Amino acid sequence: MLTTFLQNVFNALQWGSFYSMIALGYCLVYGVLRLINFAHGDIFMTACYIAFFIATALLGAFSGGGVFVFALTLLLTMGATALVGITIERIAYRPLRMKGVNRLYVVITALMVGFILENGNLAFLGASARRFPDVIEKHIWQFGPVVLTNLKVLVILAAFAVFGLLQFIVQKTVLGMSMRAISYDKFAIPLMGIPVNRVITFTFALGSGLAAVAGILFGMSYPVLDPYMGMIIGWKAFIAAVVGGIGDIKGAFIGGFILGFIEIFITAVFPSSFKDLISFVILLIILVLKPTGFFGVARSTKI
Amino acid sequence: MRRKGFLGALLIALAATALFIGCSKKEQTIKIGFNIPLTGDNPMVGEGSKNAGDIVLKALKAQGGLTVKGQKYPVEFIYVDNELKAESAVQAALRLIEQDKVLAVVGPQGSGRAIPAGQVNNDNRTPMISAWSTNPDTTLNRPYVFRACFLDPFQAPVAAKFAKEQFNVTKTAILYNLEDDYSKTLAELYRDSWQAANGPGSVVVFDSFGQRDQDFSAQLTRIVNSGAEMLYLPVYYNFVALIVPQAKDLGWNKPIMGADAWGSADLVPLSKGSVAGYYFTTHYAAAGAVGKTKEFIDEYNASYGYIPDDVAALTYDAVNIVLQAIQNAGLSGDLQKDRNAIKDAMAALRNYDGITGKMNFNVQGDPEKDAVVVRISEAGEFVYVTSLQP
């Protein structure tokens, strides 16, 4: 009983890490732009595919894999996915923002961008599932009754590292300060000489880079890729971000783990057909009791 | 004015079509529809089916068509994608029956699509043969619906019997896909026959997951810590590739037994070496095949670069059963009459010698044939272990 419980704590930490990393991307864009970037789950999927191609190419060049290949794949994937994010912002969101349309239209556009990414992938790469290559060798560690893999530990550490990095950027750097400033007042800030568009571009690059970290680790943990893999996990991470308090980095991070823990422990106790039902009822209750989420503050600086 | 012009053009087009159909009655084309998943979660199923169809078509083209009662007819295969969705399979069935006016339909392949599409085909009195659907409901009380494979009520008990003897165990865990009729039915049948043989309480975990799940660690943790001595995993190959490595990561080192949905050419590429040493029940074994079966495998491998899986082999048999039935029944040119005749001829086929075994159809349209157990070797080949009698 205790064994099962301990094992599930680590299962939940791993699964929650993915929700957290994706939720942080939602949170970042929402914080700056007040835009729920529904394409984020599909940017995550795109990152997974980019990582697949980069890792396959690198493994061809440096056979065997290892930490070096992993680090190189990570950096290249982050760069490429950041470009994808910037491109989407440039093509789809910026023209709408320049016209000053209602935020609703931007959200609909985000949904469309998500579908375009999914179906573009389907059309160009075909429907066959792909196997993510083994970038690093897997080791299974037995700690008393609990079984861990090096990958599992890496995923959990990565989630905390990403959170720490983001906190640092937003709280301690000039760019972060600009982001917070735009979040505070989008109209007065250009008067202060802050290049709003450049900061927004940077925000998208950062958000997509986070999706890339999640994407490559997800590919390594759950190595079957398909074009629709980002849809459900994207929605769930969005809900996790809202429960934690969207716009607040700590909130999104903890929200991801809350959802991860709820899902794993519901499945461990109840028949798994109840998993999503009970999980979302719990989340609904949380939101009804605290509509702004755990760390959200109603209508003020969010980020 | 514009509207009138358009209507006129439409009328002329309709008249031309009618004329064309009228003229072409002598040169009747044998049209056979394929209701298969070319996209969706298991596109390899559709690809294998289409490739098998193309091999048959190529052979027919080389002969100049199909000879029916001394006359050669051109043959056309129409491949329609059902996206592995029940509603799309119904749409595809209607399209093939009403728009393409096919004589018979091959597929849908899996039971989730074959059961609803079977209803449509039966209601429209068009013969249909599913190559790969193992659920009894597909053909039950549907005289126009046939299949080319064995059934789950046969597959599950023989798998349970084989697993018990092979691994010498009494406690089993079962993990299945709740959103898939095939997986759910098979899991329940296996549970019942396991409990009948090993007493109550011998199925220690009976758990499920959803179609879009990617993480199975909670279910697998329960299974690993339950004292189960083996795991029965009646799920599609794409889930096998996720579940088996996760189980091993959680410390599972006991046998796993699979079902015929494992038998895809994609299983080993997707799951790498993690499935080596496991067994599953299936319809045919490619390694060590002889005769006609080997000829088919060689031609398929030469054309497409990989060993055909059971869907491809069964589709090859299904198409040939339809063609044989057309040859036996003859063609009158009247679509409905021909469809009825083909149905009767299929039901009357005796000792049809297919590449997946000899077949007789019973009153339900189900063939009576053996199941094969294969072992996945370290090299990723499906090695024949034994044949199990009904």
Side-chain angles (χ1 to χ4, degrees), chain A residues 5 15 26 31 34 72 80 82 92 107 140 142 145 169 182 206 218 243 249 270 275 285 292 296:
Chain A
F5 175 79
W15 190 232
Y26 274 108
R34 290 283 187 280
L72 204 56
V107 170
I140 298 175
Q142 181 94 34
I169 290 178
I182 294 172
L206 194 59
F218 194 89
V243 167
I249 290 174
F270 294 96
K275 181 185 77 179
I285 292 170
T292 52

XYZ file of all heavy atoms in Angstrom, chain A residues 5 15 26 31 34 72 80 82 92 107 140 142 145 169 182 206 218 243 249 270 275 285 292 296:
195
model
N 1.674 3.973 -2.948
C 1.503 5.401 -2.728
C 2.772 6.155 -3.128
O 2.722 7.120 -3.889
C 1.159 5.652 -1.250
C 1.088 7.115 -0.908
C -0.044 7.852 -1.232
C 2.146 7.744 -0.280
C -0.109 9.194 -0.946
C 2.091 9.094 0.014
C 0.961 9.826 -0.320
N 4.147 13.319 -14.371
C 3.027 13.710 -15.228
C 2.688 15.179 -14.991
O 2.423 15.930 -15.936
C 1.838 12.788 -14.940
C 0.688 12.902 -15.885
C -0.613 13.093 -15.537
C 0.723 12.804 -17.317
N -1.388 13.131 -16.661
C -0.605 12.956 -17.760
C 1.726 12.627 -18.262
C -0.949 12.933 -19.120
C 1.394 12.608 -19.603
C 0.080 12.753 -20.019
N 1.289 29.017 -21.369
C -0.006 29.713 -21.415
C 0.060 30.980 -20.569
O -0.386 32.053 -20.957
C -1.116 28.840 -20.828
C -1.749 27.881 -21.786
C -1.514 26.519 -21.692
C -2.624 28.329 -22.762
C -2.099 25.627 -22.550
C -3.223 27.439 -23.633
C -2.955 26.098 -23.524
O -3.542 25.213 -24.372
N -0.196 36.506 -19.459
C 0.242 37.572 -18.572
C 0.533 38.857 -19.320
O 0.139 39.942 -18.900
N -2.870 39.224 -22.281
C -4.241 38.858 -21.944
C -4.832 37.984 -23.061
O -6.000 38.089 -23.378
C -5.126 40.092 -21.769
C -4.827 40.911 -20.530
C -5.400 40.238 -19.286
N -5.256 41.096 -18.117
C -4.116 41.205 -17.427
N -3.056 40.512 -17.790
N -4.055 41.982 -16.381
N 22.362 19.298 -27.225
C 22.326 19.924 -28.540
C 20.897 19.903 -29.109
O 20.396 20.908 -29.643
C 23.288 19.178 -29.464
C 23.833 19.953 -30.663
C 24.514 21.222 -30.183
C 24.816 19.094 -31.446
N 14.368 26.467 -32.775
C 13.443 26.285 -33.896
C 12.001 26.545 -33.457
O 11.226 27.195 -34.172
C 13.586 24.867 -34.453
N 11.028 28.390 -30.962
C 10.865 29.818 -30.708
C 10.558 30.540 -32.022
O 9.687 31.416 -32.076
C 12.126 30.378 -30.070
N -0.357 35.713 -37.390
C -1.752 35.573 -36.969
C -2.190 36.609 -35.938
O -3.293 37.137 -36.030
C -1.978 34.170 -36.415
N -8.612 34.997 -29.783
C -8.716 33.648 -29.208
C -9.180 32.663 -30.280
O -8.643 31.558 -30.413
C -9.674 33.651 -28.000
C -9.977 32.232 -27.561
C -9.068 34.432 -26.856
N 17.296 2.188 -15.001
C 16.228 1.996 -14.024
C 16.856 1.879 -12.643
O 17.748 1.052 -12.426
C 15.398 0.743 -14.361
C 14.741 0.929 -15.736
C 14.335 0.501 -13.295
C 13.998 -0.267 -16.240
N 16.406 1.392 -8.513
C 15.501 0.878 -7.490
C 15.868 1.500 -6.150
O 16.941 1.261 -5.610
C 15.636 -0.658 -7.426
C 14.741 -1.334 -6.418
C 13.443 -1.801 -7.053
O 13.422 -2.199 -8.196
N 12.356 -1.759 -6.304
N 11.431 0.391 -2.180
C 10.296 -0.144 -2.924
C 9.985 0.661 -4.188
O 9.194 0.239 -5.013
C 9.144 -0.015 -1.916
C 9.530 1.127 -1.045
C 11.019 1.186 -1.012
N 13.857 35.469 -15.016
C 13.732 36.389 -16.160
C 12.672 37.446 -15.881
O 12.884 38.635 -16.100
C 13.387 35.595 -17.447
C 14.599 34.767 -17.874
C 12.987 36.545 -18.566
C 14.355 33.916 -19.095
N 4.089 45.948 -19.522
C 3.064 45.858 -20.572
C 1.804 45.233 -20.008
O 0.679 45.658 -20.286
C 3.592 45.037 -21.764
C 4.733 45.786 -22.431
C 2.489 44.772 -22.767
C 5.447 45.001 -23.490
N 9.946 32.964 -25.785
C 10.178 32.313 -24.493
C 9.130 31.227 -24.237
O 9.455 30.098 -23.854
C 10.141 33.372 -23.390
C 10.676 32.973 -22.019
C 12.127 32.538 -22.124
C 10.545 34.144 -21.052
N 8.820 15.055 -23.290
C 7.632 14.240 -23.495
C 7.913 13.156 -24.541
O 7.545 11.998 -24.366
C 6.460 15.124 -23.954
C 5.125 14.461 -23.865
C 4.387 14.548 -22.705
C 4.604 13.747 -24.932
C 3.149 13.932 -22.604
C 3.364 13.130 -24.840
C 2.641 13.231 -23.669
N -6.599 27.021 -12.817
C -6.792 26.625 -11.421
C -5.700 27.215 -10.537
O -5.954 27.690 -9.426
C -6.829 25.081 -11.303
C -6.696 24.647 -9.855
C -8.113 24.552 -11.895
N 3.032 33.068 -12.414
C 3.944 31.978 -12.782
C 3.922 30.868 -11.748
O 3.821 29.683 -12.077
C 5.363 32.529 -12.976
C 5.384 33.378 -14.242
C 6.380 31.423 -13.070
C 6.658 34.103 -14.480
N -9.689 4.832 -8.044
C -10.961 4.497 -8.693
C -10.686 3.768 -10.011
O -9.565 3.791 -10.507
C -11.747 5.777 -8.992
C -12.186 6.502 -7.758
C -11.426 7.547 -7.251
C -13.349 6.139 -7.103
C -11.830 8.218 -6.108
C -13.751 6.802 -5.971
C -12.991 7.842 -5.472
N -11.494 8.809 -14.197
C -10.384 9.728 -14.034
C -10.748 11.166 -14.397
O -10.670 12.072 -13.561
C -9.196 9.282 -14.890
C -7.993 10.180 -14.746
C -6.878 9.778 -15.690
C -7.171 10.238 -17.096
N -6.123 9.897 -18.041
N -14.780 22.498 -8.536
C -15.057 22.924 -7.155
C -14.017 23.960 -6.715
O -14.354 24.989 -6.127
C -15.052 21.696 -6.211
C -16.256 20.806 -6.538
C -15.103 22.134 -4.750
C -16.228 19.463 -5.857
N -10.400 32.996 -9.004
C -9.171 33.494 -9.622
C -8.050 32.466 -9.534
O -6.918 32.761 -9.897
C -8.703 34.773 -8.926
O -8.644 34.520 -7.520
C -9.638 35.917 -9.196
N -4.057 33.530 -8.210
C -4.504 34.645 -9.031
C -5.054 35.766 -8.173
O -5.618 35.545 -7.108
